[in-house]
Amino acid sequence: MSSRAPTLEDVAREAGVSRATVSRVVNGVRNVDPAIQDLVRRAVARTGYAPNRAARSLVTRRTETVALVVSGAGDLSDEAQDAFASRVFSDPFFGRVVAGVTGYLRPRSMYPVLMFAETPEARRDVVAYLRQGRADGALVVSTHAEDALPPLLAEAELPAVLFARPARPLPLSCVDLAHRDGGHLAAERLLARGCRRSVTIAGPLAVAASQERLAGFRRTMARRGHPSVPVAEGAFTLDSGRTAMAALLDEHPDLDGVFAANDLMAQGACEVLRERDRRIPQDVAVVGLDDSSAAVTCRPPLTTVRQPVEQMAAAMARLLDEHIRGDRTEPASEIFAPELVVRDSA
Amino acid sequence: MSSRAPTLEDVAREAGVSRATVSRVVNGVRNVDPAIQDLVRRAVARTGYAPNRAARSLVTRRTETVALVVSGAGDLSDEAQDAFASRVFSDPFFGRVVAGVTGYLRPRSMYPVLMFAETPEARRDVVAYLRQGRADGALVVSTHAEDALPPLLAEAELPAVLFARPARPLPLSCVDLAHRDGGHLAAERLLARGCRRSVTIAGPLAVAASQERLAGFRRTMARRGHPSVPVAEGAFTLDSGRTAMAALLDEHPDLDGVFAANDLMAQGACEVLRERDRRIPQDVAVVGLDDSSAAVTCRPPLTTVRQPVEQMAAAMARLLDEHIRGDRTEPASEIFAPELVVRDSA
DNA sequence: GTGAAAGCGCTAACAT
DNA sequence: ATGTTAGCGCTTTCAC
């Protein structure tokens, strides 16, 4: 058994060259004689050398690691925090974020460190983690608009990129959806189907994205002769979609179109509509937003406005990478266009 | 702006002591005069000192980081790999694993690095990552029994703990469920409800866990006068549950009890049963296994056999931690007892 | 109880 | 094109 892992020194001795030369070869720096490169590579293979990252990080001041932080505004107890983790993961949205992020990072041999920041203390831990140089920057996905983490990161001047614009402007890059256009696409679809009495289940109105989806929907409806559309506020959850749909049905039994601001609420709405014997889409057309796996699982499969989450998440990782390498110094925001995906519900 | 982050040296100067003393205070080593401790702590606060982890790791040979690897037997293309990430996350099981792991890690200021290992190359990357000392060990959750990663880890003598026993014995610690007992509990429940014509939807039979759940179910059924039980093989997915249920119904229209080897398949089974106008549980009783969030989402909510995933995941993290610190040298396996959770479906 | 000093393994000037 | 050398910031003997 190897009592000690081989070091650059060992490889250098084995190859009969200096440490520096081995380092150059290992790091793919040019200006090394091809013959010697070969010699070194062979020595590396023989010794089974693997560069010690701590040593490298110490001098390069880089870890090639980024934190992927799921942050909320809440101030939860310890048990609630653990529940938070499984709640986050039960939302198909998060899986798409992870897929997009790893899609970018992986070819670069980078991997995300998963952190949850649901309490003030946890947020401090995130900042401390970065300040210790355990990660080069953070990708932040907030569950609430008033998330306290981004300001902390900005103040500490730590590289960070946000998914969705923060409630208050911050000198941080972010990616976001053109939410208004999303509402617009949903309205167009319902109108095209001939719906005359559409309603909408909005997301939590404290969230800017919810406001904008609603505004886009309303504006298009107004322009097309429907100046007032009944609205019920939901919380982006299945249950809140059910509750909102029930309330809307009670007040407007003759409704014939529904735009739910996300798929999960649309799914809840579908459940209630079917329980009340409305056929979808014949009696009531339903349009969701996200194109999450819930859209496919839903009966009937949802016509929905696709949010290109994977692309957005990949862009987030790319922006962070650029900031870290110093290729980008000013904060940027990249806005992505939604797209209508037609299935069976509308 | 600080052009350079404060180091131990800076704090030492500020406090008028030596680097060594500051180090002792920061690391909570005793044998430091309380008065000096105070002095140092104040200096740390004033300077805003955060220890450089790379430097520390270089000497301690430890990163206080562990990898959380989701590994499969497959050999997927790049695009399929990205899809793999979102698929993994859409399974509620994984969220519970993350919750359990972070529950143990977080109080210790440790965070998991998320890695997917769906290809031979990705598995090599995982081994390389650990060999470079970027993480102290790995927590491995395999999606298939014949996962090639655990043997690689064992061979490289890297600290690792597995969720579920490997197909072939390996000198690695693992946690697992008493699967047979799970099947037994399900059988008992169906029998207690008076089911006389029970069937079962098994998991993929290549997986040992599936085999054992089935064996436990069958044995109890046999002992209680039902020597042969119809079986359909599923793949632990919603759709496979639907397909299996449909097949079983076609062959045994009079069935009155179903044990599905996980909740997702049970949910699929419920959907099909309702579509075919069977009332649950009056006409057909359904028992799942996992007690995942699918069990609660399902209509009706599932009676199921709970797998204490969070506890198992936490134990996995603890075992790994013990191996890393050298508190445990021999591989251990911890087996957890399943528990019946009664809801509405049986 | 505290300080001095060695050295962890690597990269990057600089010299050749 | 290659080698020499000086650190990166920390922990940890070893003296005192």
Side-chain angles (χ1 to χ4, degrees), chain A residues 18-21 24 31-33 36 61:
Chain A
S18 74
R19 280 211 312 274
T21 300
R24 289 185 186 105
N31 291 345
V32 176
D33 188 299
I36 295 203
R61 312 188 149 283

Side-chain angles (χ1 to χ4, degrees), chain A residues 106-157:
Chain A
R106 179 184 209 143
R108 294 164 177 76
S109 293
M110 295 173 73
Y111 300 86
V113 173
L114 202 53
M115 309 182 82
F116 296 96
E118 268 303 277
T119 65
E121 194 198 354
R123 280 185 279 276
R124 275 196 298 275
D125 288 347
V126 171
V127 173
Y129 194 89
L130 292 165
R131 295 219 327 129
Q132 296 181 3
R134 299 181 70 173
D136 299 329
L139 300 166
V140 182
V141 181
S142 299
T143 59
H144 300 288
E146 294 289 344
D147 184 12
L149 182 60
L152 248 41
L153 260 14
E155 198 191 0
E157 298 189 52

Side-chain angles (χ1 to χ4, degrees), chain B residues 251-332:
Chain B
E251 278 196 53
H252 311 277
D254 61 341
L255 60 85
D256 61 1
V258 180
F259 165 47
N262 79 343
D263 289 344
L264 230 41
M265 294 195 299
Q267 188 176 5
C270 285
E271 287 177 11
V272 171
L273 286 169
R274 293 171 68 186
E275 284 163 20
R276 302 221 185 161
D277 298 319
R278 303 303 203 278
R279 289 169 306 163
I280 305 172
Q282 297 90 335
D283 300 331
V284 180
V286 177
V287 176
L289 193 150
D290 267 350
D291 195 30
S292 70
S293 65
V296 186
T297 312
C298 188
R299 305 294 137 142
L302 285 178
T303 287
T304 188
V305 176
R306 180 174 179 79
Q307 177 169 208
V309 178
E310 291 87 350
Q311 285 177 50
M312 295 166 72
M316 200 168 40
R318 176 177 46 71
L319 283 169
L320 182 59
D321 197 22
E322 291 169 359
H323 281 299
I324 291 171
R325 324 207 93 76
D327 297 345
R328 180 188 294 278
T329 48
E330 294 308 305

